[in-house]
Amino acid sequence: MKVAIMQPYLFPYIGYFQLLAAADLFVVYDDVHYIKKGWINRNRILLHGAEHLFTLPCLNASQNKLINEVEVDWASKEVRKVRLTMEMAYRKAPFFEQVYPLVQRVLEGSGPATIAEVATHSIRAVCAYLGIDTPIVTSSQQPYHNTHLSKGARLVDIVQQEGGDQYLNPIGGEALYTKEFFAEHGIALHFVKSLPIRYAQPVPDNGFVPWLSILDVLMYNEKETVMAFLQDYELL
């Protein structure tokens, strides 16, 4: 069984969903430290033909807290600004009517309290929209009892507790983990390397801005096309 483990990101890029779709089980790793200026509460969309960074405001965000301890500041005017910016950015996109309600549900401000919950909600919402049926569990809600372990050892333990024999990691993990370390524990480590993906965007001179939030992919492509994109990767 192939297990993937990743921190929850807000409407992450398509490579995140390639990893998720390639796994037999996906673990949302929400009881690790929050990363400031990472992708947990922000991402990039296309606005006026160029990339634009949006950020969902959080209360007292700190790298000394776990992701599931950081609360979203729903009272901030920035939340509405994020929604309106997304609406303005994509209201002329061909699949706006289908996709924007998904954005509204995730960012409505009356739902989950923590950024871990909101980001996970965004991931589950996209999976439901596309029909991705990989089971998703949350590390803080599972009886792993392994927060005392070192980073690599903890990943190994999660995979073993879930009965997995393969661990999938984004290609960036090559700098952190070795196949030999996981093999010592009877687990095959594979890296998911996204291949270049291109589709029509309203960018000057027929340009293209790659690796934006999955929202950009959904706004400009029908579901079947996006599902085909999910297979555009190499397993190393």
Side-chain angles (χ1 to χ4, degrees), residues 35-51:
I35 303 170
K36 294 189 73 173
K37 296 185 178 181
W39 301 109
I40 295 169
N41 68 319
R42 64 182 195 162
N43 217 303
R44 300 179 306 135
I45 59 174
L46 191 68
L47 179 65
H48 303 315
E51 69 174 64

Side-chain angles (χ1 to χ4, degrees), residues 10-11 21 46 73 87 93 133 155 158 192 207 216:
L10 184 63
F11 292 115
L46 191 68
D73 186 4
E87 180 179 4
D133 58 3
L155 296 176
I158 291 174
V192 175
D216 192 78

Side-chain angles (χ1 to χ4, degrees), residues 10-14 17 42-46 54 82-83 85-87 89-90 93-96 98-104 106-107 122-123 125-126 129-130 199 201 211-221 226:
L10 184 63
F11 292 115
Y13 85 123
I14 194 168
F17 292 94
R42 64 182 195 162
N43 217 303
R44 300 179 306 135
I45 59 174
L46 191 68
F54 70 86
V82 169
R83 291 199 303 265
T85 299
M86 289 183 178
E87 180 179 4
Y90 292 114
F95 296 95
F96 174 82
Q98 295 92 322
V99 178
Y100 188 66
L102 181 154
V103 174
Q104 291 177 305
V106 173
L107 302 180
S122 78
I123 294 162
V126 171
Y129 177 80
L130 292 174
Y199 48 90
Q201 290 176 327
W211 311 128
L212 299 176
S213 163
I214 189 67
L215 292 175
D216 192 78
V217 184
L218 298 179
M219 291 288 187
Y220 291 113
N221 298 277
V226 180

